[in-house]
Amino acid sequence: MKRIFKTQYWFVLLAMICLTACQDDTTEELFDQSPSVRADQQTNELKALLLSQPNGYRAEYFTKNDERGGFTIYMQFNADGTVRQTSDFDNQTALANSLYDVRFGTTVELVFSTRNHITKAVDPTAQIDGVSVEIGTGYAGTNNFQFFGNDNGVLSFRDIRNSETATLTLTPTNFTDFDSQSLAEVDVLRENYDKLSSPQSDLPTYPVLEFDNSQGNTRFKFSFNEVTRFSTSRLVTSNAITDLEFGITPTLEGLTVSPPLTYQGEVYEDFTYNDETKRYVSTVNGTTASIYYDFAAAYVNPNDIVVLEQDLGASGFLYRLNLGKNPLTSGTHDSMINLVSNSFNQGLNLNYRVSGYQLILDFESNDCDTFLVLQLYNDVNNNGVNDGEAIGPNIFYCFEAAKINDGKLFLTYTGISNPGLAFTVPWVQPLLDFVGDPDGLIFSREGSFSTNTASFGNTAGTFTSVDSEGNGEIRVYGLFF
Amino acid sequence: MKDNFLNRTFVIAIILAVFTTSCSNVDDSVGPSQIDTTPPILNELDLYLRNSFVIPYNIDIQYKWDINDTSVNRFLHPPFQSNVKPMATLLQDVWIAPYTAVGGVNFIKNIAPREFILSGGFNYNPNSPTITLGIAEAGARITLFNLDELDYSSIVYDEDTNNDFEVQLSIVGPISTVHHEYGHILNQNVPFDPAFEKITPGDYTAQWFNRSNEQARELGFITAYASNQPGEDFVEMIAQMLVRTRADYDALVNSISSQQAKDAIRLKEQFVVDYYQDNFDIDFYALQELTSQALIDAVN
């Protein structure tokens, strides 16, 4: 019994120590208001900031900069819970009103609660000129943005889903008239984007990303998907492949890339368009990064031409007009095809026009196993467009066995397969001259096939005439099947 | 023993003394609420929805985006504000009004989802060639998708087209979804007869989307999705009957080649009719006449 008493005594002593041990601590109040009051204050602070700009904000939104590019949305927030918007997502730029809300979720959030321009970023069926971005995912954006900070009036937000790759930045427009000035700026942005996505020349051009620094000049092949606004630029040397991946958004001055481009210790983010040189240029510490279309390829990949000797498909290389346009096909090529078409059209006194051609290569046989198939269609509507009309005849033109010398393809024309159609040879001569260029053709692989209206998994590539005469090169983009 | 009792009393007294004095300086007054109780801004559409759905039926039509209402892993967007009222009107005309007419004024008030969530775009299912048309959650909420894609002047049935998307782009799409999901809610209140599951037990499959509707009908299912599982089969029967006139529905069943499949569907139809009659005192064919006519009226 005595033992029990002693045990209880020790328990009491311990309890008293525990209960009184901290009684002299000085408590410091970290917040002088309750959590709910502080949450309300933060919410009201963001609401006030949004309404503080009567002529709204210019928002730069990169939805997922490891797969997609960015967009600019102009937003004018109103006290009645509405927001007025226009954007450079597509050519539907009309101003529209919708609802927004500022809520306290995980943190203070800006929610675009009904549909408007910015929700194009989260449209799973988003497409540009009939080409889907990615069915089910679209631009992978969001309707909810977490408020992250206010840096001298520039508001930054993040996306919960793409927390590391998405950014939304709102900068005051300082407009005097939101409607007219926002629409005018959207027009400028779309013009700047068009300059990036299509060459400003009829001659064959090659997209180049070029770095100039103390170590010299390095040219990457600038590969840009104008639907996703994302670039994978590549440099291939004999012993290495270097890829630079980044999203792009047009700006009033040129373009911005995200994530910023880092090359040999320098970081390039904002590019300014030089109308004289037709280049987007970013200058950092005396070094430059430039994006532009050049008349010479960024580099000739030594591995590309070898691919032609492999089996890329039994039917060879195909160029077909109704598969859509790709800027890698030069205007000089289109002009040549028009010339051939017109010759057939007038020469036969029928409505036949060129719908495309195939080029089949054989590196061993001289028995017309290397040949060009000219495909015609009956242009019944006589509008110069192959709009589902009847197929015309195919005509075969023979070549000697294909040869590769010094990284170029050489083809020598031997005659028409069907002598009865020899009268067509003068009409198709410009195309035969291009394919049989005595200076050779440069071949480049261009990933999978993609045009403004179609995308296929087939290997794509271009043939370009060397043009030692300087009369204007010809380049054609097509697929192997 | 007595000493022990005294000691224990002494200890308890000390503990009580410590506890009862330790909080003596706490201010026990209750202040005003710290939660923001400011009424939300209600626009004209909000007032219409409040007066037409919340007040009479306690149903909230939620069209303003809340990330918590749908899966965060899907790429979804809110609807255009202008597309909300047409859908709300449609719900009133082709769902609430017919059920009220045959089931009584309290039918929808007693058994209904308490919330409709409206989403603007298609809900694509990841890694599957399908989209989700609607979701019913615990009898409390129905979510409808692709509101912005609808053509309110069009009625297209799957037997009229080779492209099922055309059905979803007409008002048959969302309204069959509402009848389908409401069927689930009725089943959650009163389960259907388990004997229904025995009619075509061998042909249910999780890969229902590999069947066309025509193939499914030849197996005794009214749609391909009905062949997913018995619960979906039952509510697909409800939905497909309620979006068609009885004549159109009969024509659809009569177009099936297999007599066995026809018989199976007719038997399922009888289960549905009995379910409504026995549990809710509703003449299902009278309900069908009202819902199908309302749908036709909606596009005219």
Side-chain angles (χ1 to χ4, degrees):
Chain A
M1 222 24 116
K2 200 171 180 182
R3 189 174 196 83
I4 292 171
F5 169 72
K6 280 185 177 171
T7 307
Q8 287 175 335
Y9 176 78
W10 282 111
F11 269 123
V12 171
L13 202 60
L14 191 65
M16 290 193 70
I17 288 168
C18 288
L19 290 165
T20 58
C22 299
Q23 66 181 0
D24 290 332
D25 278 4
T26 50
T27 56
E28 182 190 353
E29 284 198 4
L30 288 175
F31 303 104
D32 57 1
Q33 286 164 318
S34 69
S36 58
V37 170
R38 283 184 283 121
D40 281 347
Q41 280 178 346
Q42 288 180 38
T43 306
N44 290 332
E45 179 194 340
L46 178 56
K47 282 181 185 170
L49 282 168
L50 296 175
L51 295 174
S52 69
Q53 296 296 325
N55 278 295
Y57 287 89
R58 182 187 298 109
E60 184 182 88
Y61 180 22
F62 278 92
T63 55
K64 192 174 188 302
N65 71 2
D66 58 345
E67 293 179 4
R68 305 284 192 267
F71 306 90
T72 300
I73 307 108
Y74 291 83
M75 305 175 177
Q76 184 185 43
F77 295 91
N78 302 307
D80 64 356
T82 61
V83 56
R84 191 161 173 77
Q85 297 180 5
T86 179
S87 74
D88 71 343
F89 272 90
D90 50 31
N91 56 15
Q92 306 294 311
T93 60
L95 285 154
N97 291 337
S98 61
L99 301 179
Y100 76 97
D101 200 0
V102 177
R103 301 174 192 160
F104 196 88
T106 315
T107 180
V108 180
E109 293 176 358
L110 170 60
V111 182
F112 294 96
S113 46
T114 58
R115 195 170 175 187
N116 206 326
H117 283 269
I118 194 166
T119 53
K120 291 177 184 178
V122 72
D123 179 0
T125 57
Q127 51 178 244
I128 301 295
D129 295 332
V131 179
S132 292
V133 179
E134 184 184 344
I135 288 287
T137 304
Y139 287 110
T142 186
N143 312 299
N144 284 50
F145 297 90
Q146 295 181 320
F147 182 42
F148 232 70
N150 172 12
D151 183 9
N152 289 324
V154 177
L155 314 181
S156 56
F157 299 83
R158 295 255 178 104
D159 171 8
I160 302 167
R161 186 160 42 197
N162 301 323
S163 58
E164 300 298 320
T165 55
T167 52
L168 176 73
T169 308
L170 270 60
T171 307
T173 63
N174 296 320
F175 289 159
T176 52
D177 177 3
F178 177 81
D179 281 10
S180 63
Q181 288 179 276
S182 62
L183 287 171
E185 286 201 358
V186 164
D187 284 345
V188 173
L189 293 170
R190 293 205 44 86
E191 281 170 21
N192 274 348
Y193 190 67
D194 288 344
K195 286 174 194 163
L196 178 69
S197 55
S198 54
Q200 311 292 302
S201 168
D202 273 351
L203 295 174
T205 48
Y206 301 81
V208 175
L209 167 60
E210 182 179 275
F211 295 96
D212 262 314
N213 56 25
S214 58
Q215 298 180 45
N217 171 287
T218 312
R219 290 157 61 93
F220 282 68
K221 183 189 283 185
F222 174 69
S223 177
F224 175 60
N225 184 323
E226 61 184 287
V227 175
T228 62
R229 298 189 169 195
F230 193 75
S231 169
T232 303
S233 294
R234 172 167 285 190
L235 173 66
V236 179
T237 56
S238 54
N239 55 2
I241 295 175
T242 310
D243 282 338
L244 299 173
E245 296 189 321
F246 50 92
I248 292 175
T249 190
T251 62
L252 297 172
E253 296 77 27
L255 58 86
T256 291
V257 302
S258 176
L261 264 170
T262 301
Y263 188 73
Q264 293 183 338
E266 300 293 355
V267 179
Y268 308 91
E269 186 168 14
D270 297 315
F271 289 70
T272 303
Y273 186 70
N274 183 324
D275 203 31
E276 207 167 294
T277 60
K278 311 274 190 244
R279 292 182 179 210
Y280 296 88
V281 181
S282 178
T283 304
V284 178
N285 297 328
T287 68
T288 60
S290 313
I291 297 171
Y292 61 100
Y293 285 88
D294 198 6
F295 292 120
Y299 56 86
V300 176
N301 182 350
N303 301 318
D304 279 1
I305 192 83
V306 181
V307 170
L308 292 177
E309 293 180 292
Q310 299 167 0
D311 185 15
L312 286 169
S315 303
F317 175 85
L318 171 70
Y319 166 76
R320 184 170 285 169
L321 280 148
N322 65 4
L323 288 181
K325 287 181 182 293
N326 184 297
L328 296 180
T329 296
S330 65
T332 47
H333 179 271
D334 290 345
S335 303
M336 175 193 68
I337 293 296
N338 263 337
L339 186 65
V340 176
S341 259
N342 289 338
S343 298
F344 273 89
N345 198 281
Q346 291 158 17
L348 290 173
N349 202 20
L350 290 169
N351 290 329
Y352 286 141
R353 299 187 69 82
V354 176
S355 60
Y357 59 87
Q358 283 170 257
L359 184 61
I360 289 87
L361 301 178
D362 186 285
F363 290 86
E364 293 172 358
S365 162
N366 284 320
D367 192 19
C368 196
D369 288 320
T370 292
F371 56 95
L372 181 142
V373 187
L374 188 74
Q375 300 170 336
L376 303 173
Y377 73 100
N378 191 353
D379 187 19
V380 183
N381 298 328
N382 204 23
N383 55 6
V385 179
N386 186 356
D387 38 17
E389 292 146 315
I391 303 167
N394 289 341
I395 307 174
F396 295 74
Y397 302 89
C398 301
F399 292 80
E400 289 178 1
K403 296 182 183 69
I404 291 176
N405 281 326
D406 195 22
K408 288 176 283 188
L409 175 72
F410 290 87
L411 300 175
T412 305
Y413 177 63
T414 56
I416 193 162
S417 172
N418 179 353
L421 294 173
F423 63 89
T424 65
V425 172
W427 300 342
V428 81
Q429 195 63 50
L431 179 56
L432 296 174
D433 288 345
F434 162 57
V435 174
D437 189 329
D439 293 318
L441 294 172
I442 295 172
F443 175 71
S444 66
R445 288 190 75 169
E446 300 294 343
S448 57
F449 183 77
S450 176
T451 66
N452 62 335
T453 58
S455 289
F456 303 126
N458 300 56
T459 298
T462 68
F463 288 100
T464 312
S465 59
V466 172
D467 183 32
S468 58
E469 306 293 319
N471 294 327
E473 297 156 317
I474 296 172
R475 189 181 194 197
V476 60
Y477 173 85
L479 59 84
F480 291 87
F481 73 115
Chain B
M1 199 65 178
K2 191 181 173 187
D3 281 350
N4 191 24
F5 174 76
L6 286 173
N7 287 332
R8 195 174 295 168
T9 307
F10 175 70
V11 169
I12 291 169
I14 289 173
I15 292 171
L16 281 173
V18 169
F19 274 108
T20 52
T21 56
S22 58
C23 299
S24 59
N25 289 328
V26 171
D27 181 0
D28 59 357
S29 63
V30 177
S33 170
Q34 295 183 337
I35 298 168
D36 182 7
T37 54
T38 313
I41 301 169
L42 295 180
N43 58 39
E44 198 178 322
L45 176 61
D46 295 328
L47 292 172
Y48 161 76
L49 295 173
R50 177 171 284 195
N51 293 328
S52 305
F53 290 89
V54 178
I55 293 172
Y57 302 108
N58 191 24
I59 295 172
D60 189 13
I61 307 287
Q62 190 57 260
Y63 68 94
K64 293 175 186 170
W65 196 255
D66 186 329
I67 197 168
N68 300 310
D69 287 340
T70 52
S71 168
V72 76
N73 295 320
R74 307 290 177 98
F75 294 94
L76 299 163
H77 58 76
F80 285 119
Q81 205 174 339
S82 57
N83 286 334
V84 174
K85 193 171 179 182
M87 174 50 74
T89 308
L90 200 61
L91 287 174
Q92 265 188 330
D93 294 345
V94 304
W95 172 57
I96 292 179
Y99 268 99
T100 301
V102 296
V105 290
N106 290 326
F107 191 83
I108 292 287
K109 291 180 184 178
N110 288 335
I111 306 176
R114 299 277 72 96
E115 198 175 28
F116 275 86
I117 306 293
L118 303 183
S119 178
F122 286 108
N123 182 2
Y124 286 85
N125 296 320
N127 308 316
S128 165
T130 58
I131 55 172
T132 297
L133 302 174
I135 299 171
E137 293 171 79
R141 172 193 283 179
I142 290 178
T143 307
L144 295 174
F145 301 98
N146 57 280
L147 205 68
D148 290 343
E149 315 295 334
L150 289 177
D151 177 357
Y152 285 90
S153 63
S154 159
I155 291 179
V156 179
Y157 298 111
D158 68 80
E159 58 268 33
D160 302 331
T161 174
N162 291 323
N163 182 358
D164 281 353
F165 265 85
E166 286 183 16
V167 179
Q168 300 313 322
L169 298 177
S170 83
I171 59 171
V172 172
I175 294 309
S176 60
T177 302
V178 169
H179 287 313
H180 174 110
E181 303 298 354
Y182 190 55
H184 281 309
I185 289 170
L186 292 176
N187 290 169
Q188 285 160 3
N189 280 270
V190 183
F192 60 84
D193 187 342
F196 180 89
E197 301 176 11
K198 304 281 195 313
I199 301 173
T200 48
D203 288 315
Y204 290 110
T205 172
Q207 274 68 48
W208 58 269
F209 45 81
N210 290 330
R211 286 175 179 155
S212 67
N213 287 325
E214 291 74 21
Q215 289 169 328
R217 284 186 193 117
E218 294 299 331
L219 295 170
F221 301 101
I222 197 68
T223 61
Y225 189 48
S227 67
N228 183 16
Q229 51 173 280
E232 302 299 343
D233 194 1
F234 192 86
V235 298
E236 272 294 278
M237 284 298 301
I238 295 173
Q240 297 306 316
M241 289 181 74
L242 292 185
V243 294
R244 288 174 176 82
T245 63
R246 192 166 181 183
D248 284 346
Y249 169 74
D250 285 342
L252 178 68
V253 176
N254 292 334
S255 70
I256 297 170
S257 307
S258 161
Q259 188 57 47
Q260 193 180 353
K262 264 192 249 189
D263 293 345
I265 288 179
R266 288 298 186 191
L267 185 55
K268 289 175 183 178
E269 175 186 333
Q270 193 56 50
F271 268 83
V272 169
V273 170
D274 291 347
Y275 173 80
Y276 273 76
Q277 190 64 56
D278 297 347
N279 297 303
F280 305 114
D281 196 23
I282 286 178
D283 178 345
F284 191 78
Y285 294 119
L287 178 64
Q288 182 186 30
E289 192 176 338
L290 293 174
T291 54
S292 58
Q293 187 57 48
L295 201 63
I296 294 165
D297 293 344
V299 297
N300 293 327

